[in-house]
Amino acid sequence: MRKIAIDVMGADHGIEPIVLGVVEALKHREFQALIVGDEAKISPLLPSELVNRVQIVHCLDYVKMEESATNASKRKETSIFVATELVREGKADALVSPGHSGATMSLATLKLGRIKGVSRPAICTTMPTINGNPSMILDAGANTDCKPEYLVDFAIMGHEYAKSVMGYANPRVGLLSNGEEDTKGNELTKATFPLLKEFEFFQGNVEGRDIFNGSVDVVVCDGFSGNLVLKASEGVASAISQILKQEIKKCPIRTLGAMLMKGAFKNLKKKIDHSEYGGAPLLGVKNVVIISHGSSNARAIECAVYQALHALDSDICAKLEKVFESR
């Protein structure tokens, strides 16, 4: 049975939604949960029928959001350090954490190690598209300053993840720029473009709108740009939702129309809700690591666990090792 280590400390809304998300996942999938955190707060949230599939690893300390990620490797008593060690020692197969993302990335890279040939691990996040198949952005925040060879590695990892985990037969990869023309972009994208042209999966430069229109499956960029796109997209989705609600409430006829379209609105919310995507895999390390949003609710954690299990089932880390060995 697969074993997933879940760090439940340090999230924005405390332990409860994280544990409840794990509980929901346990109800629907077969796996063993190693929950790292405050046992006194975790135990009351676990149904008696699931206790035999949960191991609580008691830990009170955690890396605060305002703390520097560089200190994480020195604090062996923190929940993320303990959870990472469980994976490193083979006691768990994958790690899920909604805590300090910088600490998670730092420890995963240091303790679990990079796949040979990978210059830098990258955060890979999914975005909704109009054709129904999510697109992927990487890097979404692990590397703010990048070299062209980093982006090439991101493209290779994104292509393999899209194929092996997402199930896309022939994933298309684009390079995020300020225009589709080959000559557009900053120094980084201009230097990366000719390197990516050597790969059959490369479709050329893409613009921000192409992330959502389904013209490519994987969008490659530096972590600074990727994180800005991610946060801006979340903000736009939230703002549109609020504006739509305000406009509907202004008129009884609109309210009636909204009731008739309840199903459509529900489906739309599900497609743009980041909770439904769970978390973002950290690609390039030797084990499966899923980084979830600090504000994750129970549904987001549930989906993050599914994401970890799916990545394990696809054997993505071994496939990435094979791809980089053959380069």
Side-chain angles (χ1 to χ4, degrees), residues 239-269:
I240 289 176
S241 178
Q242 292 294 325
I243 293 170
L244 187 59
K245 287 178 182 178
Q246 293 169 4
E247 291 299 318
I248 288 172
K249 290 179 181 179
K250 289 180 179 179
C251 175
I253 295 177
R254 292 177 186 174
T255 303
L256 177 61
M259 292 176 63
L260 295 174
M261 295 182 65
K262 187 176 181 180
F265 285 140
K266 184 178 180 180
N267 290 337
L268 175 62
K269 183 179 184 299

PDB file of all heavy atoms in Angstrom, residues 239-269:
ATOM      1  N   ALA A 239     -12.066  37.908  -8.691  1.00  0.00           N
ATOM      2  CA  ALA A 239     -12.699  39.198  -8.960  1.00  0.00           C
ATOM      3  C   ALA A 239     -13.920  39.039  -9.873  1.00  0.00           C
ATOM      4  O   ALA A 239     -14.977  39.632  -9.628  1.00  0.00           O
ATOM      5  CB  ALA A 239     -11.695  40.153  -9.584  1.00  0.00           C
ATOM      6  N   ILE A 240     -13.775  38.245 -10.928  1.00  0.00           N
ATOM      7  CA  ILE A 240     -14.893  38.028 -11.851  1.00  0.00           C
ATOM      8  C   ILE A 240     -16.067  37.379 -11.134  1.00  0.00           C
ATOM      9  O   ILE A 240     -17.230  37.744 -11.355  1.00  0.00           O
ATOM     10  CB  ILE A 240     -14.441  37.160 -13.043  1.00  0.00           C
ATOM     11  CG1 ILE A 240     -13.517  37.969 -13.947  1.00  0.00           C
ATOM     12  CG2 ILE A 240     -15.641  36.659 -13.840  1.00  0.00           C
ATOM     13  CD1 ILE A 240     -12.932  37.187 -15.091  1.00  0.00           C
ATOM     14  N   SER A 241     -15.773  36.446 -10.260  1.00  0.00           N
ATOM     15  CA  SER A 241     -16.825  35.774  -9.491  1.00  0.00           C
ATOM     16  C   SER A 241     -17.586  36.769  -8.619  1.00  0.00           C
ATOM     17  O   SER A 241     -18.823  36.753  -8.567  1.00  0.00           O
ATOM     18  CB  SER A 241     -16.209  34.675  -8.626  1.00  0.00           C
ATOM     19  OG  SER A 241     -17.187  34.045  -7.832  1.00  0.00           O
ATOM     20  N   GLN A 242     -16.840  37.657  -7.956  1.00  0.00           N
ATOM     21  CA  GLN A 242     -17.466  38.652  -7.086  1.00  0.00           C
ATOM     22  C   GLN A 242     -18.290  39.657  -7.888  1.00  0.00           C
ATOM     23  O   GLN A 242     -19.412  40.017  -7.520  1.00  0.00           O
ATOM     24  CB  GLN A 242     -16.384  39.379  -6.281  1.00  0.00           C
ATOM     25  CG  GLN A 242     -15.670  38.515  -5.260  1.00  0.00           C
ATOM     26  CD  GLN A 242     -16.578  38.050  -4.150  1.00  0.00           C
ATOM     27  OE1 GLN A 242     -17.485  38.759  -3.727  1.00  0.00           O
ATOM     28  NE2 GLN A 242     -16.360  36.837  -3.670  1.00  0.00           N
ATOM     29  N   ILE A 243     -17.729  40.118  -9.008  1.00  0.00           N
ATOM     30  CA  ILE A 243     -18.434  41.086  -9.852  1.00  0.00           C
ATOM     31  C   ILE A 243     -19.719  40.487 -10.408  1.00  0.00           C
ATOM     32  O   ILE A 243     -20.783  41.134 -10.436  1.00  0.00           O
ATOM     33  CB  ILE A 243     -17.521  41.550 -11.007  1.00  0.00           C
ATOM     34  CG1 ILE A 243     -16.347  42.370 -10.456  1.00  0.00           C
ATOM     35  CG2 ILE A 243     -18.310  42.381 -12.026  1.00  0.00           C
ATOM     36  CD1 ILE A 243     -15.264  42.658 -11.474  1.00  0.00           C
ATOM     37  N   LEU A 244     -19.644  39.237 -10.836  1.00  0.00           N
ATOM     38  CA  LEU A 244     -20.817  38.556 -11.395  1.00  0.00           C
ATOM     39  C   LEU A 244     -21.924  38.439 -10.353  1.00  0.00           C
ATOM     40  O   LEU A 244     -23.101  38.698 -10.645  1.00  0.00           O
ATOM     41  CB  LEU A 244     -20.408  37.160 -11.903  1.00  0.00           C
ATOM     42  CG  LEU A 244     -21.462  36.370 -12.673  1.00  0.00           C
ATOM     43  CD1 LEU A 244     -21.919  37.139 -13.911  1.00  0.00           C
ATOM     44  CD2 LEU A 244     -20.918  35.000 -13.062  1.00  0.00           C
ATOM     45  N   LYS A 245     -21.567  38.087  -9.142  1.00  0.00           N
ATOM     46  CA  LYS A 245     -22.554  37.975  -8.063  1.00  0.00           C
ATOM     47  C   LYS A 245     -23.209  39.332  -7.791  1.00  0.00           C
ATOM     48  O   LYS A 245     -24.426  39.419  -7.593  1.00  0.00           O
ATOM     49  CB  LYS A 245     -21.887  37.451  -6.786  1.00  0.00           C
ATOM     50  CG  LYS A 245     -21.519  35.982  -6.838  1.00  0.00           C
ATOM     51  CD  LYS A 245     -20.826  35.548  -5.552  1.00  0.00           C
ATOM     52  CE  LYS A 245     -20.410  34.086  -5.613  1.00  0.00           C
ATOM     53  NZ  LYS A 245     -19.695  33.654  -4.381  1.00  0.00           N
ATOM     54  N   GLN A 246     -22.408  40.388  -7.770  1.00  0.00           N
ATOM     55  CA  GLN A 246     -22.929  41.730  -7.513  1.00  0.00           C
ATOM     56  C   GLN A 246     -23.913  42.167  -8.601  1.00  0.00           C
ATOM     57  O   GLN A 246     -24.968  42.741  -8.315  1.00  0.00           O
ATOM     58  CB  GLN A 246     -21.776  42.728  -7.411  1.00  0.00           C
ATOM     59  CG  GLN A 246     -20.886  42.527  -6.196  1.00  0.00           C
ATOM     60  CD  GLN A 246     -19.612  43.359  -6.261  1.00  0.00           C
ATOM     61  OE1 GLN A 246     -19.414  44.147  -7.186  1.00  0.00           O
ATOM     62  NE2 GLN A 246     -18.735  43.178  -5.280  1.00  0.00           N
ATOM     63  N   GLU A 247     -23.561  41.896  -9.855  1.00  0.00           N
ATOM     64  CA  GLU A 247     -24.416  42.279 -10.973  1.00  0.00           C
ATOM     65  C   GLU A 247     -25.720  41.490 -10.985  1.00  0.00           C
ATOM     66  O   GLU A 247     -26.783  42.026 -11.307  1.00  0.00           O
ATOM     67  CB  GLU A 247     -23.663  42.086 -12.293  1.00  0.00           C
ATOM     68  CG  GLU A 247     -22.512  43.050 -12.510  1.00  0.00           C
ATOM     69  CD  GLU A 247     -22.987  44.498 -12.548  1.00  0.00           C
ATOM     70  OE1 GLU A 247     -24.045  44.775 -13.171  1.00  0.00           O
ATOM     71  OE2 GLU A 247     -22.310  45.356 -11.952  1.00  0.00           O
ATOM     72  N   ILE A 248     -25.645  40.213 -10.650  1.00  0.00           N
ATOM     73  CA  ILE A 248     -26.849  39.376 -10.631  1.00  0.00           C
ATOM     74  C   ILE A 248     -27.835  39.859  -9.571  1.00  0.00           C
ATOM     75  O   ILE A 248     -29.042  39.909  -9.798  1.00  0.00           O
ATOM     76  CB  ILE A 248     -26.465  37.902 -10.381  1.00  0.00           C
ATOM     77  CG1 ILE A 248     -25.786  37.310 -11.624  1.00  0.00           C
ATOM     78  CG2 ILE A 248     -27.681  37.060 -10.004  1.00  0.00           C
ATOM     79  CD1 ILE A 248     -25.201  35.931 -11.420  1.00  0.00           C
ATOM     80  N   LYS A 249     -27.317  40.260  -8.407  1.00  0.00           N
ATOM     81  CA  LYS A 249     -28.168  40.684  -7.297  1.00  0.00           C
ATOM     82  C   LYS A 249     -28.869  42.018  -7.551  1.00  0.00           C
ATOM     83  O   LYS A 249     -29.816  42.367  -6.844  1.00  0.00           O
ATOM     84  CB  LYS A 249     -27.336  40.772  -6.013  1.00  0.00           C
ATOM     85  CG  LYS A 249     -26.893  39.414  -5.471  1.00  0.00           C
ATOM     86  CD  LYS A 249     -26.052  39.577  -4.225  1.00  0.00           C
ATOM     87  CE  LYS A 249     -25.590  38.223  -3.689  1.00  0.00           C
ATOM     88  NZ  LYS A 249     -24.753  38.367  -2.481  1.00  0.00           N
ATOM     89  N   LYS A 250     -28.415  42.768  -8.551  1.00  0.00           N
ATOM     90  CA  LYS A 250     -28.995  44.079  -8.831  1.00  0.00           C
ATOM     91  C   LYS A 250     -30.374  44.000  -9.482  1.00  0.00           C
ATOM     92  O   LYS A 250     -31.115  44.987  -9.495  1.00  0.00           O
ATOM     93  CB  LYS A 250     -28.064  44.881  -9.742  1.00  0.00           C
ATOM     94  CG  LYS A 250     -26.781  45.353  -9.066  1.00  0.00           C
ATOM     95  CD  LYS A 250     -25.914  46.141 -10.036  1.00  0.00           C
ATOM     96  CE  LYS A 250     -24.641  46.645  -9.375  1.00  0.00           C
ATOM     97  NZ  LYS A 250     -23.781  47.403 -10.321  1.00  0.00           N
ATOM     98  N   CYS A 251     -30.729  42.838 -10.030  1.00  0.00           N
ATOM     99  CA  CYS A 251     -31.982  42.728 -10.782  1.00  0.00           C
ATOM    100  C   CYS A 251     -32.640  41.370 -10.530  1.00  0.00           C
ATOM    101  O   CYS A 251     -31.988  40.333 -10.656  1.00  0.00           O
ATOM    102  CB  CYS A 251     -31.694  42.914 -12.273  1.00  0.00           C
ATOM    103  SG  CYS A 251     -33.129  42.666 -13.333  1.00  0.00           S
ATOM    104  N   PRO A 252     -33.946  41.375 -10.181  1.00  0.00           N
ATOM    105  CA  PRO A 252     -34.658  40.105  -9.929  1.00  0.00           C
ATOM    106  C   PRO A 252     -34.653  39.164 -11.140  1.00  0.00           C
ATOM    107  O   PRO A 252     -34.581  37.951 -10.980  1.00  0.00           O
ATOM    108  CB  PRO A 252     -36.079  40.569  -9.605  1.00  0.00           C
ATOM    109  CG  PRO A 252     -35.920  41.960  -9.115  1.00  0.00           C
ATOM    110  CD  PRO A 252     -34.796  42.541  -9.901  1.00  0.00           C
ATOM    111  N   ILE A 253     -34.730  39.740 -12.345  1.00  0.00           N
ATOM    112  CA  ILE A 253     -34.736  38.907 -13.556  1.00  0.00           C
ATOM    113  C   ILE A 253     -33.384  38.197 -13.704  1.00  0.00           C
ATOM    114  O   ILE A 253     -33.327  37.023 -14.075  1.00  0.00           O
ATOM    115  CB  ILE A 253     -35.042  39.764 -14.802  1.00  0.00           C
ATOM    116  CG1 ILE A 253     -36.468  40.332 -14.705  1.00  0.00           C
ATOM    117  CG2 ILE A 253     -34.881  38.932 -16.073  1.00  0.00           C
ATOM    118  CD1 ILE A 253     -36.848  41.237 -15.847  1.00  0.00           C
ATOM    119  N   ARG A 254     -32.313  38.935 -13.402  1.00  0.00           N
ATOM    120  CA  ARG A 254     -30.992  38.323 -13.461  1.00  0.00           C
ATOM    121  C   ARG A 254     -30.874  37.199 -12.432  1.00  0.00           C
ATOM    122  O   ARG A 254     -30.251  36.162 -12.688  1.00  0.00           O
ATOM    123  CB  ARG A 254     -29.909  39.367 -13.204  1.00  0.00           C
ATOM    124  CG  ARG A 254     -29.777  40.415 -14.292  1.00  0.00           C
ATOM    125  CD  ARG A 254     -28.721  41.436 -13.898  1.00  0.00           C
ATOM    126  NE  ARG A 254     -28.641  42.547 -14.840  1.00  0.00           N
ATOM    127  CZ  ARG A 254     -27.889  43.625 -14.662  1.00  0.00           C
ATOM    128  NH1 ARG A 254     -27.143  43.718 -13.564  1.00  0.00           N
ATOM    129  NH2 ARG A 254     -27.867  44.581 -15.561  1.00  0.00           N
ATOM    130  N   THR A 255     -31.455  37.426 -11.251  1.00  0.00           N
ATOM    131  CA  THR A 255     -31.420  36.405 -10.198  1.00  0.00           C
ATOM    132  C   THR A 255     -32.136  35.139 -10.657  1.00  0.00           C
ATOM    133  O   THR A 255     -31.670  34.022 -10.418  1.00  0.00           O
ATOM    134  CB  THR A 255     -32.079  36.936  -8.909  1.00  0.00           C
ATOM    135  OG1 THR A 255     -31.417  38.139  -8.505  1.00  0.00           O
ATOM    136  CG2 THR A 255     -32.000  35.913  -7.795  1.00  0.00           C
ATOM    137  N   LEU A 256     -33.281  35.335 -11.304  1.00  0.00           N
ATOM    138  CA  LEU A 256     -34.030  34.189 -11.839  1.00  0.00           C
ATOM    139  C   LEU A 256     -33.199  33.459 -12.903  1.00  0.00           C
ATOM    140  O   LEU A 256     -33.137  32.224 -12.918  1.00  0.00           O
ATOM    141  CB  LEU A 256     -35.354  34.666 -12.437  1.00  0.00           C
ATOM    142  CG  LEU A 256     -36.227  33.585 -13.102  1.00  0.00           C
ATOM    143  CD1 LEU A 256     -36.621  32.517 -12.085  1.00  0.00           C
ATOM    144  CD2 LEU A 256     -37.470  34.229 -13.725  1.00  0.00           C
ATOM    145  N   GLY A 257     -32.579  34.250 -13.778  1.00  0.00           N
ATOM    146  CA  GLY A 257     -31.739  33.654 -14.813  1.00  0.00           C
ATOM    147  C   GLY A 257     -30.569  32.880 -14.222  1.00  0.00           C
ATOM    148  O   GLY A 257     -30.204  31.810 -14.712  1.00  0.00           O
ATOM    149  N   ALA A 258     -30.007  33.435 -13.146  1.00  0.00           N
ATOM    150  CA  ALA A 258     -28.885  32.761 -12.488  1.00  0.00           C
ATOM    151  C   ALA A 258     -29.314  31.427 -11.891  1.00  0.00           C
ATOM    152  O   ALA A 258     -28.557  30.450 -11.911  1.00  0.00           O
ATOM    153  CB  ALA A 258     -28.315  33.660 -11.394  1.00  0.00           C
ATOM    154  N   MET A 259     -30.556  31.376 -11.389  1.00  0.00           N
ATOM    155  CA  MET A 259     -31.075  30.125 -10.831  1.00  0.00           C
ATOM    156  C   MET A 259     -31.206  29.064 -11.921  1.00  0.00           C
ATOM    157  O   MET A 259     -30.926  27.885 -11.696  1.00  0.00           O
ATOM    158  CB  MET A 259     -32.431  30.366 -10.161  1.00  0.00           C
ATOM    159  CG  MET A 259     -32.347  31.214  -8.896  1.00  0.00           C
ATOM    160  SD  MET A 259     -33.969  31.583  -8.199  1.00  0.00           S
ATOM    161  CE  MET A 259     -34.556  29.942  -7.768  1.00  0.00           C
ATOM    162  N   LEU A 260     -31.626  29.509 -13.110  1.00  0.00           N
ATOM    163  CA  LEU A 260     -31.770  28.574 -14.225  1.00  0.00           C
ATOM    164  C   LEU A 260     -30.409  28.095 -14.723  1.00  0.00           C
ATOM    165  O   LEU A 260     -30.307  27.016 -15.319  1.00  0.00           O
ATOM    166  CB  LEU A 260     -32.537  29.246 -15.370  1.00  0.00           C
ATOM    167  CG  LEU A 260     -33.994  29.629 -15.070  1.00  0.00           C
ATOM    168  CD1 LEU A 260     -34.585  30.419 -16.228  1.00  0.00           C
ATOM    169  CD2 LEU A 260     -34.834  28.380 -14.793  1.00  0.00           C
ATOM    170  N   MET A 261     -29.391  28.904 -14.503  1.00  0.00           N
ATOM    171  CA  MET A 261     -28.039  28.561 -14.950  1.00  0.00           C
ATOM    172  C   MET A 261     -27.164  28.034 -13.812  1.00  0.00           C
ATOM    173  O   MET A 261     -25.929  27.988 -13.922  1.00  0.00           O
ATOM    174  CB  MET A 261     -27.368  29.786 -15.571  1.00  0.00           C
ATOM    175  CG  MET A 261     -28.023  30.272 -16.845  1.00  0.00           C
ATOM    176  SD  MET A 261     -27.137  31.676 -17.549  1.00  0.00           S
ATOM    177  CE  MET A 261     -25.566  30.924 -17.983  1.00  0.00           C
ATOM    178  N   LYS A 262     -27.799  27.601 -12.755  1.00  0.00           N
ATOM    179  CA  LYS A 262     -27.063  27.156 -11.574  1.00  0.00           C
ATOM    180  C   LYS A 262     -26.052  26.053 -11.904  1.00  0.00           C
ATOM    181  O   LYS A 262     -24.917  26.052 -11.428  1.00  0.00           O
ATOM    182  CB  LYS A 262     -28.039  26.664 -10.506  1.00  0.00           C
ATOM    183  CG  LYS A 262     -27.392  26.328  -9.171  1.00  0.00           C
ATOM    184  CD  LYS A 262     -28.435  25.938  -8.149  1.00  0.00           C
ATOM    185  CE  LYS A 262     -27.779  25.616  -6.811  1.00  0.00           C
ATOM    186  NZ  LYS A 262     -28.794  25.228  -5.783  1.00  0.00           N
ATOM    187  N   GLY A 263     -26.470  25.112 -12.741  1.00  0.00           N
ATOM    188  CA  GLY A 263     -25.595  24.006 -13.113  1.00  0.00           C
ATOM    189  C   GLY A 263     -24.361  24.479 -13.863  1.00  0.00           C
ATOM    190  O   GLY A 263     -23.239  24.011 -13.616  1.00  0.00           O
ATOM    191  N   ALA A 264     -24.576  25.429 -14.782  1.00  0.00           N
ATOM    192  CA  ALA A 264     -23.450  25.964 -15.565  1.00  0.00           C
ATOM    193  C   ALA A 264     -22.468  26.716 -14.673  1.00  0.00           C
ATOM    194  O   ALA A 264     -21.243  26.582 -14.817  1.00  0.00           O
ATOM    195  CB  ALA A 264     -23.965  26.880 -16.663  1.00  0.00           C
ATOM    196  N   PHE A 265     -23.003  27.512 -13.735  1.00  0.00           N
ATOM    197  CA  PHE A 265     -22.147  28.251 -12.811  1.00  0.00           C
ATOM    198  C   PHE A 265     -21.358  27.301 -11.913  1.00  0.00           C
ATOM    199  O   PHE A 265     -20.190  27.538 -11.604  1.00  0.00           O
ATOM    200  CB  PHE A 265     -22.983  29.214 -11.953  1.00  0.00           C
ATOM    201  CG  PHE A 265     -23.457  30.431 -12.693  1.00  0.00           C
ATOM    202  CD1 PHE A 265     -24.728  30.926 -12.494  1.00  0.00           C
ATOM    203  CD2 PHE A 265     -22.623  31.087 -13.590  1.00  0.00           C
ATOM    204  CE1 PHE A 265     -25.172  32.049 -13.166  1.00  0.00           C
ATOM    205  CE2 PHE A 265     -23.053  32.220 -14.269  1.00  0.00           C
ATOM    206  CZ  PHE A 265     -24.334  32.704 -14.063  1.00  0.00           C
ATOM    207  N   LYS A 266     -22.005  26.219 -11.501  1.00  0.00           N
ATOM    208  CA  LYS A 266     -21.344  25.235 -10.642  1.00  0.00           C
ATOM    209  C   LYS A 266     -20.167  24.588 -11.371  1.00  0.00           C
ATOM    210  O   LYS A 266     -19.090  24.423 -10.805  1.00  0.00           O
ATOM    211  CB  LYS A 266     -22.348  24.170 -10.204  1.00  0.00           C
ATOM    212  CG  LYS A 266     -21.786  23.157  -9.221  1.00  0.00           C
ATOM    213  CD  LYS A 266     -22.858  22.163  -8.783  1.00  0.00           C
ATOM    214  CE  LYS A 266     -22.283  21.152  -7.799  1.00  0.00           C
ATOM    215  NZ  LYS A 266     -23.315  20.162  -7.359  1.00  0.00           N
ATOM    216  N   ASN A 267     -20.390  24.236 -12.637  1.00  0.00           N
ATOM    217  CA  ASN A 267     -19.317  23.633 -13.432  1.00  0.00           C
ATOM    218  C   ASN A 267     -18.182  24.608 -13.688  1.00  0.00           C
ATOM    219  O   ASN A 267     -17.005  24.238 -13.670  1.00  0.00           O
ATOM    220  CB  ASN A 267     -19.872  23.115 -14.766  1.00  0.00           C
ATOM    221  CG  ASN A 267     -20.761  21.907 -14.593  1.00  0.00           C
ATOM    222  OD1 ASN A 267     -20.662  21.185 -13.600  1.00  0.00           O
ATOM    223  ND2 ASN A 267     -21.639  21.676 -15.550  1.00  0.00           N
ATOM    224  N   LEU A 268     -18.548  25.885 -13.929  1.00  0.00           N
ATOM    225  CA  LEU A 268     -17.532  26.917 -14.141  1.00  0.00           C
ATOM    226  C   LEU A 268     -16.676  27.092 -12.893  1.00  0.00           C
ATOM    227  O   LEU A 268     -15.444  27.153 -12.978  1.00  0.00           O
ATOM    228  CB  LEU A 268     -18.196  28.242 -14.512  1.00  0.00           C
ATOM    229  CG  LEU A 268     -17.260  29.452 -14.657  1.00  0.00           C
ATOM    230  CD1 LEU A 268     -16.264  29.223 -15.781  1.00  0.00           C
ATOM    231  CD2 LEU A 268     -18.062  30.727 -14.891  1.00  0.00           C
ATOM    232  N   LYS A 269     -17.323  27.154 -11.747  1.00  0.00           N
ATOM    233  CA  LYS A 269     -16.597  27.318 -10.480  1.00  0.00           C
ATOM    234  C   LYS A 269     -15.619  26.163 -10.259  1.00  0.00           C
ATOM    235  O   LYS A 269     -14.482  26.354  -9.824  1.00  0.00           O
ATOM    236  CB  LYS A 269     -17.576  27.402  -9.307  1.00  0.00           C
ATOM    237  CG  LYS A 269     -16.910  27.654  -7.960  1.00  0.00           C
ATOM    238  CD  LYS A 269     -17.954  27.743  -6.862  1.00  0.00           C
ATOM    239  CE  LYS A 269     -17.293  28.087  -5.523  1.00  0.00           C
ATOM    240  NZ  LYS A 269     -16.312  27.060  -5.094  1.00  0.00           N
TER     241      LYS A 269
END
